[in-house]
Amino acid sequence: MASAAGSSNVMLAINEKKTITTDLYRPLRLYIASTYSEREAAAADDDLSVVCDLRAAVEKPSLPDPSSLEQRRDALLAYARALALVEPRFPISPDRAHVHSLTFTWHDAFKGNKKCALASIHLEKASVLFNLGAVYSQIALAADRSTDVGIRIACGAFQSAAGAFAWLRESGAAAKAVAAGTTTVDITPECAGMLEKLMLAQAQECFFEKVIGGGKPPALCSKVARQVGILYEEAYTALSASPLSQHFDKTWVSHVQLKAAQFYADACYRYSLDLHEKEEIAEEIARLKIGMSALADAKKTTKGVAAQLLDSVNKLESNMKTNLERAMKENDRVYLMRVPAAGSLGALPAASLVKPTSLAEVLDASKERLFSSLVPDGSMKALSKYTEMVDNSIRTQAEKLQQASEITRVRLKEMDLPDSILSLEGNITLPMDLKEDVEAVQISGGPAGLESELQQLRDLSRVNQELLVQTEELLQKEANEDAQFRTQFGSRWTRPQSSTLTKNIQDRLNLFASNLKRAADSDSLIERGVKENYSLMSILDKRPIESSLPSISRPIMSLDGNEDAIVGALKQSLRQLESLGAQRAGLEDMLKEMKRKDDILPKLMVGVGSHDDLFKKEIAKYDPICADIADNIVAQEQLLLQIQAQNEQFAAVFNLEDYKAARERCYKQIAAAVVKYQEFKKNINEGLNFYVTLQEAIGKIKQQCSDFIMTRNIQCREMMEDVQRKLPGFRFSSSSRSSMQRNAASVPPDESSPSPPPPHAQAPYASPPGVDSRHGYSQPEARPAYSQPYPPSYGATPQQPTYGAQHPGQYQPPPGHDCGQPAYPGWRGPYPYYNAPQPQQSVPCPQAPYNATGAYPPHQSNYYRPQ
């Protein structure tokens, strides 16, 4: 899409559609030789060469200078006239493929990566007409609108461009191209109509520039500006509707939207100038406010438009603001008029000065002599007329068939058929979305599988509790022995007390214990919730789920025993209705096949007399199929009335109203069970993730305790040796040394942490495609940050850490270390859960110590989060 600035405003031109080289000569010559004779083919060589040269000229890219654009316009007009002569002589279409190996390929003008390749003369004609309109718009854009001559050239070219797009739409070229097969959006009737309005808007804008430059009265300028705004508004409306709404670049759409608002505001501004001269200050104020509001609204949503256009809009807005302030001051001081409401004002008058230029004369090929010896001109026009008659007839019949099928679908749905018959026979089905939810629940184990997952929660809770107790025992044992040495040696035992060094670790262990308690409370609530709702969810364990649905039962007592006859008659009518539908599909196929084979060109060439007589005879071939279509529609209407009466009898005998009510209740019960199951499943998965991350955090703390105890033992030996050197003749008792050795030996290796029992494998509930379905605690890297209960370890693993390098007060972990773990608060459901007393900073964590394959995918949730 090209754009350029004129005397004051930016305008747009359309880029041409691009094509690829196509060989016309060989396919067309072969067709002439096979259909007529080799002599006719040889006689048409010169004409074929002319058409090929015209096509080659169209294939070349155009240059932007005005003289080249005019040559390009003439080449497109010549080729369009040639196509008008080719169309009736050479049946080039997907369903009338008499001309073999001839395919036209054209790219979308607005999205070059999209293209269409069809064996259709209609695609070729529509594309050439589109390019003709595009070249006219480029000629207009290249004109110098700062001069009167330039404005006149631009205005005329824009109207000719509008005429080309109007011809594309009104002549049926666009519709026929679309009917021939899948085409690009740019040559659809909707796009052609939009471009016609856009070109007319820019032509009217040229007139506006002319009247402004000529100093015309404000009232006239306002009318011209208002018509510009109306045309831009119509173009923007078309751009906002399907199929154009998702096709055009957003900045270009914004340009059209802003133009519409600009010229509406400009019309208000010019109109207000006229009102000021008449001293109608109140309405002047109202009009200025309306125009400024329109500009402000448009500027909010327009992004990427040309800077010059924004400058023009801002200048207009500034002028309106200045006039508004002046008018309000005058009204407050002099006139004291009441400003009318915007809704009470009439519409601004508009004056249309442009219209699409008709291209009928320049596209008239009646004087061209191409292929004149091959087919008479009269036959060419007659063939086009006949083809249009056939197309209209088939289109009408196809619409009738489609409407009949839609009526059948709606009427059967209203009568709940054939679902009620299927229910009576036991063939019951759930709505598709509900059935998919139930299948996902059953694949993941269903309500019966929740118990095994609850057991996993209990097992993991026990393992965490045991780890916590073991860690606390290690610290307590070291503290007891330190106290024993301190009692024995008194002031000579100068190293700090254990309790001062382990306070931070002990605080974290206490926090872990508190979190475990809260987590256990949440587990209890989950278990109680599962137990209380199990009767509701148990319906999901039924396989197939349809077995839980109610079915239509036969009446217990029958007065006349005619239930079977009622059902049989209704089923027979439904089968007849199905047969009518299949017959309609066959009739539509017959119409298409008859059209594909319908070629009266040879008859037109050799026929004598009136073409109308031939048309009547040929078009009568379609009458039997049209009559069958009418009979089918009448028969269907009668059959639907019969089915309605039979269904009313069927509903009365089998009490369908009660069945429908029971079925809806069952649907709601199943849906509620699915929701409840999803809730518990999510909560359990989050609990498992919580315990696994907590276990790893406790394991890290335990390892830190082991390192701490090892360091204290080294210090203990050094202090014993120091005391022995200072006190000659003093020897430690064997019990003291053995106690220290036992303390060192009591430090368990890292792998001493007990492992939990392997969790039971369980399929995930509704795992999305592409998501790993491993157990949640085998993937700690996917856990949300708030579920990380531990920090990184104290730097690299120390080799024999020594006491004394640290602060003499407490045993300090590295900065940023945090071993706190919030208790998971439970699912966001009807149960109140506890939260951790304070948030803990989350940090990344390594792989959890469990590698067993599980069923819970990683998830992002706020279930286990601190408050």
Side-chain angles (χ1 to χ4, degrees), residues 700-742:
K700 286 184 176 292
I701 290 294
K702 183 178 179 183
Q703 181 60 46
Q704 293 164 11
C705 293
S706 300
D707 295 342
F708 168 74
I709 292 171
M710 182 181 297
T711 303
R712 294 282 284 180
N713 288 337
I714 294 172
Q715 296 169 351
C716 183
R717 287 196 298 270
E718 293 175 351
M719 184 162 288
M720 284 182 174
E721 294 172 357
D722 184 61
V723 171
Q724 187 175 355
R725 285 193 302 269
K726 292 179 179 180
L727 298 176
F730 178 81
R731 294 291 183 271
F732 285 100
S733 65
S734 59
S735 61
S736 298
R737 292 187 179 274
S738 61
S739 174
M740 180 182 67
Q741 293 170 357
R742 285 194 308 273

Side-chain angles (χ1 to χ4, degrees), residues 144-152:
D144 181 10
R145 301 200 317 276
S146 63
T147 65
D148 290 341
V149 174
I151 289 181
R152 185 169 61 253

Side-chain angles (χ1 to χ4, degrees), residues 402-418:
Q402 183 178 4
Q403 185 179 10
S405 298
E406 181 64 16
I407 289 174
T408 299
R409 186 190 66 80
V410 172
R411 295 280 290 277
L412 288 180
K413 184 176 180 64
E414 291 173 352
M415 291 184 283
D416 200 23
L417 291 173

Side-chain angles (χ1 to χ4, degrees), residues 98-150:
H98 295 294
V99 179
H100 299 286
S101 303
L102 180 54
T103 300
F104 299 106
T105 301
W106 289 89
H107 291 262
D108 193 293
F110 306 105
K111 290 190 176 182
N113 60 333
K114 297 183 180 297
K115 65 180 180 179
C116 173
L118 285 176
S120 171
I121 190 68
H122 302 302
L123 171 64
E124 186 80 345
K125 289 180 62 179
S127 300
V128 170
L129 286 173
F130 181 95
N131 280 0
L132 183 60
V135 169
Y136 272 123
S137 72
Q138 294 171 23
I139 292 173
L141 203 67
D144 181 10
R145 301 200 317 276
S146 63
T147 65
D148 290 341
V149 174

Side-chain angles (χ1 to χ4, degrees), residues 29-62:
R29 194 183 191 287
L30 288 175
Y31 173 77
I32 297 172
S34 62
T35 304
Y36 305 112
S37 66
E38 181 60 32
R39 185 182 66 179
E40 294 286 351
D45 269 348
D46 292 340
D47 291 342
L48 289 172
S49 297
V50 170
V51 173
C52 291
D53 292 340
L54 291 173
R55 220 297 174 162
V58 169
E59 294 168 358
K60 296 178 182 178
S62 61

